[in-house]
Amino acid sequence: MPDAIKAANYIQQLDDSRCEENWDAVPELVRKVRKHAPDRTCLTLTAEIELAITRACQKAAPQDSDRPSTAGGPAVGIEVASHIPNLITAIENETQHPEESFQAKVCLGWLHWVMKDYPVALVRLPKNFDLEYPQCDNLDTLSEWTKVCALKSTYLRANCLARDGQRDMAMGAFAAALPSLSSVWTTKSARHQLRYWAELFLTEYCMLASQAIRENDELLSDPNCLASFRTWSKYWDSAKGQPLAGGYGFQGSVPRRQVWSEYYHVLSELLQRDLPFPTGYSEPSNDSSARSQLRAELKRVEIIFQGLLYTETKFPRADEQRTEVEQFVDRVMQNWIILNGHGWKEQDLGKGGRDTLSHGTLDTLYGAATKTYHSTSVLRHLFTVHLAVAEFDLAFAAFGSYLDIIKKGKARVAKTGHPEPALDDDATMLETISACIAALCRFGGRDAAEKAYHLGLQLENLLERLANGELSAEENLNAAKDGHLVLTAAESLHPRALALTYQAAGLANAQWARMTYDSESRTHFQQKAVHCLSKSLSPELGLGVDVRGVFALGTLLAEQRNLHYAINLVKTALLEDVDIDDSRELYRGPCWRERSLIPLWHLLALMLSAQQDYVMAARACEGAMEQFKDPFILFGTRSLNGGYQSEHLNEVGVEDGGYSSNGIVDEMDDFEKESLLEIKMTQLAILELVEGPTVAVNASSELLTLFTRLFGDLDQKVELTKPEPPRTAVTAVTKEQNRNRRASVFGSRSVRSGRGMRQSIFGSHDKNLTGIPPVPQTPGAPAIQVTNDENAQSKRKSHSLSRSGSGRRHSLRRKSRSGSVGVTEAPPPMPVNGSLADYAGKDGAAVAAPHVEEPSTDMVQRVDSFDSNEEYNDGEASVLAEVSGSLLPVIHFSQEHSKRKRKAILIKVWLTIAGFYRRAGLVADAQQACTEAQNIVLALEAEILNDTTGDVSLREADWGETKSTEELYADVWAEKGYLSVECGKPYEARADFETALTHFPDHAAAIVGLSDILLDIYSEKLLPPPVVPSFNLEESILGDISAPLQAASKFPQLPSQPLGLGTRKVESKVEKEEENLENDMAALKLKSTPNGTPDLPPPHKATSLPLHDRLAARDRAYGLLSGLTKLGTGWNNSEAWFALARAYEESGQVDKAKGALWWCVELEDGRGAREWTCVDAGGYVL
């Protein structure tokens, strides 16, 4: 007899059994429901058909193998098909219970679907419950089984549409159901069937969305493009504590980690394309910026997918590949390159910034190494990321393993002929080796240069075999047996990879030529470097006007005094017109083209100054700044906060609004900032050549101002050692004072009382020339304010200078280039297809200048206009040809390393200022500048000595540092020595130079200065100081040095004609001196005591040094100079060669003196305003 209470109870049990997948209890519950509720025919018939479909699907295997099925395959032999009419009738008769009618419709559509009758199933399946039965107001009151049927209906409809090729409509069906089913994804009490069909729903939706995005990138701009994946993430979070960690969700479905893989792929595409962050279905976040939210979501998905992938992947056998792991690692590295680049700021990366980012990537890579066998891609990425975090030892260890594995793998392929997909292709291998060579040359010392040279030899061998066509299998096998690199598909090698290989070989040879001790082979290495670098820029290789290759080749040619070809090369690169690729800004940061050109502008300025074209050299320095169009683009507006406003803002009427913004310099690394500072030093050096050292002194404070703006306050305060108040206090800028009366950094009155100063060619008071807006002084910073006047707002005046101006500091530089010596002739064309060994030459002859491609007519016209004295149009010269992808990652050094490097730069600034003071005769100020530099060196030494890691040494420069602490000490003492010479204290100078050499034995300036003093001692120009001080205080040792100079007149004078080029009369003088020297030696032998020592007069009666001491001084000078001129740092040092020529002459070796002097003339003829090594701290590598 029907019982309503029992019927309701059994109906609830029937729903619970279906939700819990307890299908065995369904038949009995259906019987009881029919007994106590005979009017619920639709419910009972639906339950029976669902039971039959489920059991049929469990027995049948998936049949549809052409695509991943997201449910069990269609059932076979379903016996309930005959019940379809009865079910349709039941649905039509059901009017009291809309949920049961909805469940029956879904069951009917499901039945047609498993029978592969997809069009009919699409017609039978209902849409969402809220659309079918709008009279139901509260959908949350629906039973759980009704929600299961809603998920099932949406999934089956979308599946039928997708099978029919209507993917967009299928995705629309999924998207329409998401809002009404939002409670399904977050409930934690869901039972088996709800989770089963929810996973089917989301898996199909995510895979369809991913497929659509892969085929149509424009979908990424949709704010709801991540709706499916974010819903999947909510579903995953709600399943914590339940068995949902990876694996397959159901029979025939895709792995759960593949959904996360597609999610990670879509987020990666958003990152790499720099698209707007999609906000649809996103969780509330505390992150302020969209980039921070994207980074957080990307990291979360990466962690989940990585955990699933590494957990479900076993270590492979030697013949197995783990392609999925390597693809994941490649995707991680692509994202890392963007996040680690200049386009993303530190605050966008979350807690820890780039350091946490890179070390997290390293953890991912080391985890991948445990799931792969000798994966070359993993080792290559380890090399790159270790390099980015400045862990150079680990980076090069990873590269060593990479090179061993890749060489053995290529050898196996050459032997067996069977390709190995896990090996990097030929282009990737060559680019990785090129990157290693670039890193070794840029950041390492001599040992690193030697490693780069040996890698370069392997590349040269490979290039030579390529040029000779030795690419057969037998030739590759023989080369592999000899340990050489081989290519497995040389015929398909991309020209860009070949160009980078030539470039790397050239860089290795150029760097080794600078570092080697073998002076006889230096020309050979330079010659090969010029050839390889020239070849890398050839049009057939397609690299174009690459800034790295142009810079390296231009610097190398400039060092060899081939200025004509170097200038043409650099100008062609600067004036090349290209299309701007804005997509590179995401990695390289804002104004990346202009920033990459700064070293080229600096190199051009030095080469023009070597040709004594100082006006154009000055404009080249300005061009490096003016290419940014506005100085506030480069330096920002930080100066507006302190109440100080620059002249530029005064002129255009901009008022202080209490705001500040960063400039491009705030996005630069320390190497780029140092390049800007070096350009300013070159500006002042050219100013000194033209206007004299006094004018350079007045402008030297700009160095400290610029340093403070670039690097901030290093907590190095400027303090005077004098007890009385300083004569110059740090003053504010006042418009009433005359700029031509600007004080020096320490305010010497001798500057103010000096002669009137001519206006500088730079017009350092002019905004258009300096390009650097003044900044307010930071308390405690080593920057000193200078005065200003009303004339600062006047317009710039043009100045044309004669190339034979009196401001030239190189005495051997000739005023006319029409003489027979040093005339530049067109060299023979450079071979580009021959052997490197053949081109290098066997006799070590002088290096020939390369054959530079002649620019087009339009290019020649633009270069000619640049050479003219007209105003330079910066709109033409600020564009460079498209730069290829960077070989090296953005490297971030530790804070301790950056602090040490910045202190070293500040030491160089102070010593440069001290040199200006010394040459201007301001001895006291020069001494104080030296003291400031020495204090910084002492602080740097204390910091290194207190270092507990043991990674830093006083004598060896660390990775990325140009000088060690001992060499910085030597710089300070050498400058002190020259200051003592300027004060007329040669013996104090000698002690200073000796101290410098105890710190760094190969210090060029100290060797030259000491050698000059030693040769003066030998020639008795410099007499020993009296042992007993004179009673006349005016003639004391410290007060007057005129007596030694007068006494020197008793000895033979130097010839008035050019040294080493004298007539027979000079030679007779030399012969006479040798004869006198022999007579003196004979006299010494006669006066010797019985034990063989000369009978010397008492010290207080001696008027000259003993001959043996003089000879020792001369020989020591010769030894120091001979060693220096054989080093890579001194082979083109004209001062060293001039001093060596004098040593030769004093020794009677006239022919050698002539040769040294002629070489000195050649060096001086092409010498720039500063040394060539100042262009870039990384040597030949940008």
Side-chain angles (χ1 to χ4, degrees), residues 52 131 329 407 448 586 718:
L131 299 178
V329 167
K407 290 174 68 175
L586 182 60
V718 179

Side-chain angles (χ1 to χ4, degrees), residues 786-838:
V786 296
T787 58
N788 194 2
D789 72 324
E790 296 177 354
N791 295 331
Q793 299 178 7
S794 62
K795 295 182 178 180
R796 179 175 57 181
K797 298 180 180 180
S798 300
H799 296 270
S800 60
L801 297 177
S802 171
R803 295 182 61 181
S804 59
S806 60
R808 204 175 305 146
R809 77 178 179 191
H810 305 308
S811 59
L812 289 178
R813 184 174 288 165
R814 295 165 296 165
K815 296 183 180 181
S816 174
R817 296 181 181 271
S818 60
S820 59
V821 180
V823 176
T824 304
E825 298 179 357
M830 173 177 295
V832 294
N833 297 324
S835 169
L836 290 174
D838 296 338

